[in-house]
Amino acid sequence: MAKTRAQIARKHATPAPQSPPAQGRQGNGSLVVIAAAVAALFLFWYFHLLTLGQMTQLSGGLTMPDMMVGGYDVDYVRRLYEEMDDDARGQLSYLHRTAGTLFPLIFAFAWLLLIQLNAGRRRLRWALWSPVLLFVVVDLWENIAIDSVLAQATADPGAVALAATLTVLRWVLLALSLGAGALAVFLPPRLRASAGQETAAVSR
């Protein structure tokens, strides 16, 4: 019995490629998150604990502004300026442009992806993303503000107040970002699932 053209076409048709299973994509995303989180942890240690700690040897034992969680005032900035020479201030500015820039960017990448993989609901995802995005902006702004106040022999009170506020806010947002990531991971699946996932679960 001769086959029709439609039967012959179906026989030789190339099957449509199937998309990888969601579980595989989730696993690949998790590997990227782990790698980025390890890199962010290393940069945190390198920038905050190693290099900024070593900078105290060039500042008469005074702590760098980045590490002043409670903020600082004009007198502190003036004393720091007097203790640091041009080379020391240039070294601090270089650290801000390198490790001080890479850390918030890589940390944000890791945390945004972590939240993306675990928080399916759009509103929840954006709520958890907010402190991370704000942290990046404030951190990079703080680097510029600190370099600006230390570049002048006479510290401007307004500029110092801005830099100190950014420093405090930066640490607060970092803590909130860590909490947002933990919340995304440990929330019950029912609260983290997207509307489509909830519909699929009900239909099953």
PDB file of all heavy atoms in Angstrom, residues 153-190:
ATOM      1  N   ALA A 153      43.067  68.850  51.914  1.00  0.00           N
ATOM      2  CA  ALA A 153      43.709  69.091  53.207  1.00  0.00           C
ATOM      3  C   ALA A 153      42.700  69.593  54.237  1.00  0.00           C
ATOM      4  O   ALA A 153      42.777  69.269  55.423  1.00  0.00           O
ATOM      5  CB  ALA A 153      44.845  70.100  53.041  1.00  0.00           C
ATOM      6  N   THR A 154      41.746  70.376  53.786  1.00  0.00           N
ATOM      7  CA  THR A 154      40.690  70.886  54.672  1.00  0.00           C
ATOM      8  C   THR A 154      39.413  70.108  54.384  1.00  0.00           C
ATOM      9  O   THR A 154      38.792  70.277  53.326  1.00  0.00           O
ATOM     10  CB  THR A 154      40.452  72.383  54.451  1.00  0.00           C
ATOM     11  OG1 THR A 154      41.676  73.090  54.654  1.00  0.00           O
ATOM     12  CG2 THR A 154      39.404  72.907  55.428  1.00  0.00           C
ATOM     13  N   ALA A 155      39.020  69.270  55.316  1.00  0.00           N
ATOM     14  CA  ALA A 155      37.855  68.413  55.108  1.00  0.00           C
ATOM     15  C   ALA A 155      36.575  69.232  55.141  1.00  0.00           C
ATOM     16  O   ALA A 155      36.359  70.046  56.048  1.00  0.00           O
ATOM     17  CB  ALA A 155      37.800  67.330  56.186  1.00  0.00           C
ATOM     18  N   ASP A 156      35.747  69.029  54.140  1.00  0.00           N
ATOM     19  CA  ASP A 156      34.458  69.709  54.079  1.00  0.00           C
ATOM     20  C   ASP A 156      33.449  68.941  54.926  1.00  0.00           C
ATOM     21  O   ASP A 156      33.239  67.738  54.694  1.00  0.00           O
ATOM     22  CB  ASP A 156      33.972  69.772  52.633  1.00  0.00           C
ATOM     23  CG  ASP A 156      32.599  70.390  52.527  1.00  0.00           C
ATOM     24  OD1 ASP A 156      32.411  71.527  52.994  1.00  0.00           O
ATOM     25  OD2 ASP A 156      31.700  69.718  51.980  1.00  0.00           O
ATOM     26  N   PRO A 157      32.819  69.577  55.918  1.00  0.00           N
ATOM     27  CA  PRO A 157      31.894  68.853  56.803  1.00  0.00           C
ATOM     28  C   PRO A 157      30.759  68.158  56.056  1.00  0.00           C
ATOM     29  O   PRO A 157      30.376  67.038  56.406  1.00  0.00           O
ATOM     30  CB  PRO A 157      31.361  69.949  57.733  1.00  0.00           C
ATOM     31  CG  PRO A 157      32.420  71.006  57.719  1.00  0.00           C
ATOM     32  CD  PRO A 157      32.996  70.980  56.337  1.00  0.00           C
ATOM     33  N   GLY A 158      30.235  68.810  55.034  1.00  0.00           N
ATOM     34  CA  GLY A 158      29.151  68.189  54.271  1.00  0.00           C
ATOM     35  C   GLY A 158      29.606  66.946  53.530  1.00  0.00           C
ATOM     36  O   GLY A 158      28.909  65.919  53.515  1.00  0.00           O
ATOM     37  N   ALA A 159      30.798  67.006  52.931  1.00  0.00           N
ATOM     38  CA  ALA A 159      31.326  65.854  52.201  1.00  0.00           C
ATOM     39  C   ALA A 159      31.650  64.711  53.155  1.00  0.00           C
ATOM     40  O   ALA A 159      31.418  63.535  52.840  1.00  0.00           O
ATOM     41  CB  ALA A 159      32.567  66.259  51.416  1.00  0.00           C
ATOM     42  N   VAL A 160      32.184  65.049  54.328  1.00  0.00           N
ATOM     43  CA  VAL A 160      32.485  64.009  55.323  1.00  0.00           C
ATOM     44  C   VAL A 160      31.199  63.358  55.822  1.00  0.00           C
ATOM     45  O   VAL A 160      31.131  62.132  55.980  1.00  0.00           O
ATOM     46  CB  VAL A 160      33.279  64.608  56.498  1.00  0.00           C
ATOM     47  CG1 VAL A 160      33.438  63.581  57.614  1.00  0.00           C
ATOM     48  CG2 VAL A 160      34.644  65.095  56.033  1.00  0.00           C
ATOM     49  N   ALA A 161      30.173  64.163  56.074  1.00  0.00           N
ATOM     50  CA  ALA A 161      28.896  63.613  56.534  1.00  0.00           C
ATOM     51  C   ALA A 161      28.302  62.672  55.493  1.00  0.00           C
ATOM     52  O   ALA A 161      27.762  61.606  55.827  1.00  0.00           O
ATOM     53  CB  ALA A 161      27.921  64.746  56.849  1.00  0.00           C
ATOM     54  N   LEU A 162      28.418  63.041  54.208  1.00  0.00           N
ATOM     55  CA  LEU A 162      27.915  62.179  53.142  1.00  0.00           C
ATOM     56  C   LEU A 162      28.689  60.866  53.105  1.00  0.00           C
ATOM     57  O   LEU A 162      28.096  59.777  53.026  1.00  0.00           O
ATOM     58  CB  LEU A 162      28.029  62.893  51.800  1.00  0.00           C
ATOM     59  CG  LEU A 162      27.680  62.043  50.563  1.00  0.00           C
ATOM     60  CD1 LEU A 162      26.241  61.570  50.614  1.00  0.00           C
ATOM     61  CD2 LEU A 162      27.952  62.829  49.279  1.00  0.00           C
ATOM     62  N   ALA A 163      30.029  60.959  53.159  1.00  0.00           N
ATOM     63  CA  ALA A 163      30.838  59.737  53.113  1.00  0.00           C
ATOM     64  C   ALA A 163      30.547  58.838  54.313  1.00  0.00           C
ATOM     65  O   ALA A 163      30.428  57.609  54.165  1.00  0.00           O
ATOM     66  CB  ALA A 163      32.317  60.105  53.076  1.00  0.00           C
ATOM     67  N   ALA A 164      30.419  59.424  55.496  1.00  0.00           N
ATOM     68  CA  ALA A 164      30.137  58.621  56.694  1.00  0.00           C
ATOM     69  C   ALA A 164      28.766  57.963  56.603  1.00  0.00           C
ATOM     70  O   ALA A 164      28.587  56.796  56.996  1.00  0.00           O
ATOM     71  CB  ALA A 164      30.224  59.508  57.935  1.00  0.00           C
ATOM     72  N   THR A 165      27.784  58.696  56.097  1.00  0.00           N
ATOM     73  CA  THR A 165      26.432  58.125  55.945  1.00  0.00           C
ATOM     74  C   THR A 165      26.448  56.963  54.963  1.00  0.00           C
ATOM     75  O   THR A 165      25.813  55.925  55.197  1.00  0.00           O
ATOM     76  CB  THR A 165      25.462  59.208  55.447  1.00  0.00           C
ATOM     77  OG1 THR A 165      25.420  60.285  56.404  1.00  0.00           O
ATOM     78  CG2 THR A 165      24.061  58.642  55.280  1.00  0.00           C
ATOM     79  N   LEU A 166      27.177  57.118  53.865  1.00  0.00           N
ATOM     80  CA  LEU A 166      27.273  56.038  52.890  1.00  0.00           C
ATOM     81  C   LEU A 166      27.964  54.813  53.478  1.00  0.00           C
ATOM     82  O   LEU A 166      27.594  53.671  53.179  1.00  0.00           O
ATOM     83  CB  LEU A 166      28.029  56.516  51.650  1.00  0.00           C
ATOM     84  CG  LEU A 166      27.321  57.565  50.790  1.00  0.00           C
ATOM     85  CD1 LEU A 166      28.265  58.085  49.703  1.00  0.00           C
ATOM     86  CD2 LEU A 166      26.064  56.979  50.155  1.00  0.00           C
ATOM     87  N   THR A 167      28.971  55.035  54.322  1.00  0.00           N
ATOM     88  CA  THR A 167      29.666  53.908  54.947  1.00  0.00           C
ATOM     89  C   THR A 167      28.721  53.123  55.856  1.00  0.00           C
ATOM     90  O   THR A 167      28.665  51.888  55.797  1.00  0.00           O
ATOM     91  CB  THR A 167      30.878  54.406  55.753  1.00  0.00           C
ATOM     92  OG1 THR A 167      31.804  55.043  54.872  1.00  0.00           O
ATOM     93  CG2 THR A 167      31.573  53.243  56.447  1.00  0.00           C
ATOM     94  N   VAL A 168      27.986  53.832  56.693  1.00  0.00           N
ATOM     95  CA  VAL A 168      27.036  53.159  57.593  1.00  0.00           C
ATOM     96  C   VAL A 168      25.967  52.439  56.786  1.00  0.00           C
ATOM     97  O   VAL A 168      25.631  51.268  57.052  1.00  0.00           O
ATOM     98  CB  VAL A 168      26.404  54.172  58.565  1.00  0.00           C
ATOM     99  CG1 VAL A 168      25.319  53.503  59.406  1.00  0.00           C
ATOM    100  CG2 VAL A 168      27.468  54.786  59.461  1.00  0.00           C
ATOM    101  N   LEU A 169      25.425  53.137  55.795  1.00  0.00           N
ATOM    102  CA  LEU A 169      24.363  52.555  54.974  1.00  0.00           C
ATOM    103  C   LEU A 169      24.862  51.339  54.214  1.00  0.00           C
ATOM    104  O   LEU A 169      24.131  50.364  54.027  1.00  0.00           O
ATOM    105  CB  LEU A 169      23.836  53.618  54.009  1.00  0.00           C
ATOM    106  CG  LEU A 169      22.607  53.260  53.176  1.00  0.00           C
ATOM    107  CD1 LEU A 169      21.433  52.874  54.073  1.00  0.00           C
ATOM    108  CD2 LEU A 169      22.222  54.419  52.265  1.00  0.00           C
ATOM    109  N   ARG A 170      26.094  51.399  53.782  1.00  0.00           N
ATOM    110  CA  ARG A 170      26.685  50.269  53.054  1.00  0.00           C
ATOM    111  C   ARG A 170      26.687  48.999  53.895  1.00  0.00           C
ATOM    112  O   ARG A 170      26.329  47.913  53.424  1.00  0.00           O
ATOM    113  CB  ARG A 170      28.106  50.636  52.651  1.00  0.00           C
ATOM    114  CG  ARG A 170      28.948  49.501  52.121  1.00  0.00           C
ATOM    115  CD  ARG A 170      30.358  50.025  51.838  1.00  0.00           C
ATOM    116  NE  ARG A 170      31.219  48.989  51.306  1.00  0.00           N
ATOM    117  CZ  ARG A 170      31.991  48.214  52.057  1.00  0.00           C
ATOM    118  NH1 ARG A 170      31.985  48.349  53.383  1.00  0.00           N
ATOM    119  NH2 ARG A 170      32.771  47.305  51.508  1.00  0.00           N
ATOM    120  N   TRP A 171      27.107  49.110  55.154  1.00  0.00           N
ATOM    121  CA  TRP A 171      27.149  47.929  56.019  1.00  0.00           C
ATOM    122  C   TRP A 171      25.745  47.433  56.347  1.00  0.00           C
ATOM    123  O   TRP A 171      25.500  46.224  56.434  1.00  0.00           O
ATOM    124  CB  TRP A 171      27.926  48.236  57.295  1.00  0.00           C
ATOM    125  CG  TRP A 171      29.408  48.309  57.065  1.00  0.00           C
ATOM    126  CD1 TRP A 171      30.175  49.434  56.968  1.00  0.00           C
ATOM    127  CD2 TRP A 171      30.294  47.206  56.880  1.00  0.00           C
ATOM    128  NE1 TRP A 171      31.488  49.098  56.746  1.00  0.00           N
ATOM    129  CE2 TRP A 171      31.595  47.745  56.681  1.00  0.00           C
ATOM    130  CE3 TRP A 171      30.121  45.822  56.862  1.00  0.00           C
ATOM    131  CZ2 TRP A 171      32.701  46.919  56.476  1.00  0.00           C
ATOM    132  CZ3 TRP A 171      31.241  45.011  56.649  1.00  0.00           C
ATOM    133  CH2 TRP A 171      32.501  45.560  56.460  1.00  0.00           C
ATOM    134  N   VAL A 172      24.825  48.363  56.514  1.00  0.00           N
ATOM    135  CA  VAL A 172      23.434  47.963  56.783  1.00  0.00           C
ATOM    136  C   VAL A 172      22.858  47.208  55.584  1.00  0.00           C
ATOM    137  O   VAL A 172      22.218  46.157  55.737  1.00  0.00           O
ATOM    138  CB  VAL A 172      22.571  49.202  57.118  1.00  0.00           C
ATOM    139  CG1 VAL A 172      21.092  48.830  57.179  1.00  0.00           C
ATOM    140  CG2 VAL A 172      23.015  49.818  58.437  1.00  0.00           C
ATOM    141  N   LEU A 173      23.096  47.730  54.391  1.00  0.00           N
ATOM    142  CA  LEU A 173      22.574  47.077  53.190  1.00  0.00           C
ATOM    143  C   LEU A 173      23.247  45.732  52.931  1.00  0.00           C
ATOM    144  O   LEU A 173      22.610  44.804  52.420  1.00  0.00           O
ATOM    145  CB  LEU A 173      22.761  47.989  51.979  1.00  0.00           C
ATOM    146  CG  LEU A 173      21.846  49.215  51.937  1.00  0.00           C
ATOM    147  CD1 LEU A 173      22.261  50.158  50.808  1.00  0.00           C
ATOM    148  CD2 LEU A 173      20.389  48.791  51.752  1.00  0.00           C
ATOM    149  N   LEU A 174      24.527  45.611  53.293  1.00  0.00           N
ATOM    150  CA  LEU A 174      25.194  44.320  53.148  1.00  0.00           C
ATOM    151  C   LEU A 174      24.538  43.286  54.059  1.00  0.00           C
ATOM    152  O   LEU A 174      24.299  42.143  53.634  1.00  0.00           O
ATOM    153  CB  LEU A 174      26.683  44.465  53.481  1.00  0.00           C
ATOM    154  CG  LEU A 174      27.502  43.169  53.425  1.00  0.00           C
ATOM    155  CD1 LEU A 174      27.439  42.543  52.036  1.00  0.00           C
ATOM    156  CD2 LEU A 174      28.954  43.425  53.839  1.00  0.00           C
ATOM    157  N   ALA A 175      24.237  43.680  55.288  1.00  0.00           N
ATOM    158  CA  ALA A 175      23.560  42.759  56.205  1.00  0.00           C
ATOM    159  C   ALA A 175      22.165  42.400  55.698  1.00  0.00           C
ATOM    160  O   ALA A 175      21.752  41.227  55.749  1.00  0.00           O
ATOM    161  CB  ALA A 175      23.470  43.385  57.593  1.00  0.00           C
ATOM    162  N   LEU A 176      21.438  43.391  55.184  1.00  0.00           N
ATOM    163  CA  LEU A 176      20.105  43.120  54.639  1.00  0.00           C
ATOM    164  C   LEU A 176      20.177  42.213  53.408  1.00  0.00           C
ATOM    165  O   LEU A 176      19.310  41.355  53.208  1.00  0.00           O
ATOM    166  CB  LEU A 176      19.409  44.435  54.289  1.00  0.00           C
ATOM    167  CG  LEU A 176      18.996  45.330  55.461  1.00  0.00           C
ATOM    168  CD1 LEU A 176      18.405  46.633  54.949  1.00  0.00           C
ATOM    169  CD2 LEU A 176      17.998  44.612  56.367  1.00  0.00           C
ATOM    170  N   SER A 177      21.204  42.397  52.599  1.00  0.00           N
ATOM    171  CA  SER A 177      21.371  41.562  51.409  1.00  0.00           C
ATOM    172  C   SER A 177      21.632  40.107  51.801  1.00  0.00           C
ATOM    173  O   SER A 177      21.082  39.176  51.200  1.00  0.00           O
ATOM    174  CB  SER A 177      22.522  42.082  50.548  1.00  0.00           C
ATOM    175  OG  SER A 177      22.272  43.392  50.097  1.00  0.00           O
ATOM    176  N   LEU A 178      22.480  39.907  52.805  1.00  0.00           N
ATOM    177  CA  LEU A 178      22.734  38.551  53.288  1.00  0.00           C
ATOM    178  C   LEU A 178      21.453  37.926  53.827  1.00  0.00           C
ATOM    179  O   LEU A 178      21.168  36.745  53.585  1.00  0.00           O
ATOM    180  CB  LEU A 178      23.815  38.582  54.371  1.00  0.00           C
ATOM    181  CG  LEU A 178      25.222  38.982  53.910  1.00  0.00           C
ATOM    182  CD1 LEU A 178      26.147  39.138  55.111  1.00  0.00           C
ATOM    183  CD2 LEU A 178      25.787  37.954  52.940  1.00  0.00           C
ATOM    184  N   GLY A 179      20.672  38.735  54.548  1.00  0.00           N
ATOM    185  CA  GLY A 179      19.396  38.228  55.059  1.00  0.00           C
ATOM    186  C   GLY A 179      18.421  37.903  53.943  1.00  0.00           C
ATOM    187  O   GLY A 179      17.676  36.914  54.028  1.00  0.00           O
ATOM    188  N   ALA A 180      18.422  38.715  52.875  1.00  0.00           N
ATOM    189  CA  ALA A 180      17.530  38.449  51.740  1.00  0.00           C
ATOM    190  C   ALA A 180      17.885  37.136  51.062  1.00  0.00           C
ATOM    191  O   ALA A 180      17.011  36.356  50.672  1.00  0.00           O
ATOM    192  CB  ALA A 180      17.596  39.602  50.742  1.00  0.00           C
ATOM    193  N   GLY A 181      19.184  36.868  50.914  1.00  0.00           N
ATOM    194  CA  GLY A 181      19.600  35.609  50.316  1.00  0.00           C
ATOM    195  C   GLY A 181      19.209  34.418  51.161  1.00  0.00           C
ATOM    196  O   GLY A 181      18.731  33.395  50.649  1.00  0.00           O
ATOM    197  N   ALA A 182      19.392  34.541  52.480  1.00  0.00           N
ATOM    198  CA  ALA A 182      19.007  33.453  53.377  1.00  0.00           C
ATOM    199  C   ALA A 182      17.496  33.235  53.354  1.00  0.00           C
ATOM    200  O   ALA A 182      17.018  32.093  53.378  1.00  0.00           O
ATOM    201  CB  ALA A 182      19.478  33.766  54.805  1.00  0.00           C
ATOM    202  N   LEU A 183      16.758  34.336  53.285  1.00  0.00           N
ATOM    203  CA  LEU A 183      15.295  34.226  53.242  1.00  0.00           C
ATOM    204  C   LEU A 183      14.837  33.519  51.974  1.00  0.00           C
ATOM    205  O   LEU A 183      13.925  32.681  52.010  1.00  0.00           O
ATOM    206  CB  LEU A 183      14.682  35.623  53.319  1.00  0.00           C
ATOM    207  CG  LEU A 183      13.162  35.699  53.525  1.00  0.00           C
ATOM    208  CD1 LEU A 183      12.765  35.069  54.851  1.00  0.00           C
ATOM    209  CD2 LEU A 183      12.695  37.147  53.474  1.00  0.00           C
ATOM    210  N   ALA A 184      15.466  33.831  50.853  1.00  0.00           N
ATOM    211  CA  ALA A 184      15.091  33.189  49.594  1.00  0.00           C
ATOM    212  C   ALA A 184      15.338  31.687  49.633  1.00  0.00           C
ATOM    213  O   ALA A 184      14.582  30.905  49.059  1.00  0.00           O
ATOM    214  CB  ALA A 184      15.879  33.811  48.440  1.00  0.00           C
ATOM    215  N   VAL A 185      16.402  31.280  50.321  1.00  0.00           N
ATOM    216  CA  VAL A 185      16.751  29.856  50.378  1.00  0.00           C
ATOM    217  C   VAL A 185      15.865  29.085  51.344  1.00  0.00           C
ATOM    218  O   VAL A 185      15.431  27.962  51.048  1.00  0.00           O
ATOM    219  CB  VAL A 185      18.239  29.695  50.768  1.00  0.00           C
ATOM    220  CG1 VAL A 185      18.572  28.228  51.023  1.00  0.00           C
ATOM    221  CG2 VAL A 185      19.136  30.253  49.680  1.00  0.00           C
ATOM    222  N   PHE A 186      15.544  29.694  52.486  1.00  0.00           N
ATOM    223  CA  PHE A 186      14.876  28.948  53.547  1.00  0.00           C
ATOM    224  C   PHE A 186      13.365  29.180  53.624  1.00  0.00           C
ATOM    225  O   PHE A 186      12.705  28.603  54.490  1.00  0.00           O
ATOM    226  CB  PHE A 186      15.509  29.284  54.903  1.00  0.00           C
ATOM    227  CG  PHE A 186      16.929  28.794  55.019  1.00  0.00           C
ATOM    228  CD1 PHE A 186      17.988  29.687  54.998  1.00  0.00           C
ATOM    229  CD2 PHE A 186      17.199  27.446  55.121  1.00  0.00           C
ATOM    230  CE1 PHE A 186      19.298  29.238  55.091  1.00  0.00           C
ATOM    231  CE2 PHE A 186      18.504  26.981  55.223  1.00  0.00           C
ATOM    232  CZ  PHE A 186      19.555  27.885  55.206  1.00  0.00           C
ATOM    233  N   LEU A 187      12.818  30.024  52.748  1.00  0.00           N
ATOM    234  CA  LEU A 187      11.363  30.163  52.736  1.00  0.00           C
ATOM    235  C   LEU A 187      10.702  28.848  52.331  1.00  0.00           C
ATOM    236  O   LEU A 187      11.257  28.090  51.529  1.00  0.00           O
ATOM    237  CB  LEU A 187      10.951  31.262  51.746  1.00  0.00           C
ATOM    238  CG  LEU A 187      10.873  32.683  52.266  1.00  0.00           C
ATOM    239  CD1 LEU A 187      10.515  33.627  51.134  1.00  0.00           C
ATOM    240  CD2 LEU A 187       9.841  32.808  53.375  1.00  0.00           C
ATOM    241  N   PRO A 188       9.521  28.545  52.853  1.00  0.00           N
ATOM    242  CA  PRO A 188       8.809  27.335  52.417  1.00  0.00           C
ATOM    243  C   PRO A 188       8.541  27.378  50.920  1.00  0.00           C
ATOM    244  O   PRO A 188       8.290  28.441  50.353  1.00  0.00           O
ATOM    245  CB  PRO A 188       7.493  27.400  53.212  1.00  0.00           C
ATOM    246  CG  PRO A 188       7.796  28.265  54.387  1.00  0.00           C
ATOM    247  CD  PRO A 188       8.806  29.262  53.920  1.00  0.00           C
ATOM    248  N   PRO A 189       8.622  26.238  50.241  1.00  0.00           N
ATOM    249  CA  PRO A 189       8.401  26.203  48.786  1.00  0.00           C
ATOM    250  C   PRO A 189       7.067  26.815  48.376  1.00  0.00           C
ATOM    251  O   PRO A 189       6.964  27.417  47.316  1.00  0.00           O
ATOM    252  CB  PRO A 189       8.454  24.706  48.463  1.00  0.00           C
ATOM    253  CG  PRO A 189       9.294  24.114  49.547  1.00  0.00           C
ATOM    254  CD  PRO A 189       8.989  24.916  50.774  1.00  0.00           C
ATOM    255  N   ARG A 190       6.042  26.669  49.216  1.00  0.00           N
ATOM    256  CA  ARG A 190       4.727  27.225  48.879  1.00  0.00           C
ATOM    257  C   ARG A 190       4.781  28.736  48.748  1.00  0.00           C
ATOM    258  O   ARG A 190       4.084  29.326  47.910  1.00  0.00           O
ATOM    259  CB  ARG A 190       3.718  26.834  49.958  1.00  0.00           C
ATOM    260  CG  ARG A 190       2.307  27.383  49.732  1.00  0.00           C
ATOM    261  CD  ARG A 190       1.373  26.877  50.819  1.00  0.00           C
ATOM    262  NE  ARG A 190       1.850  27.279  52.128  1.00  0.00           N
ATOM    263  CZ  ARG A 190       1.604  28.463  52.686  1.00  0.00           C
ATOM    264  NH1 ARG A 190       0.901  29.366  52.029  1.00  0.00           N
ATOM    265  NH2 ARG A 190       2.057  28.756  53.888  1.00  0.00           N
TER     266      ARG A 190
END
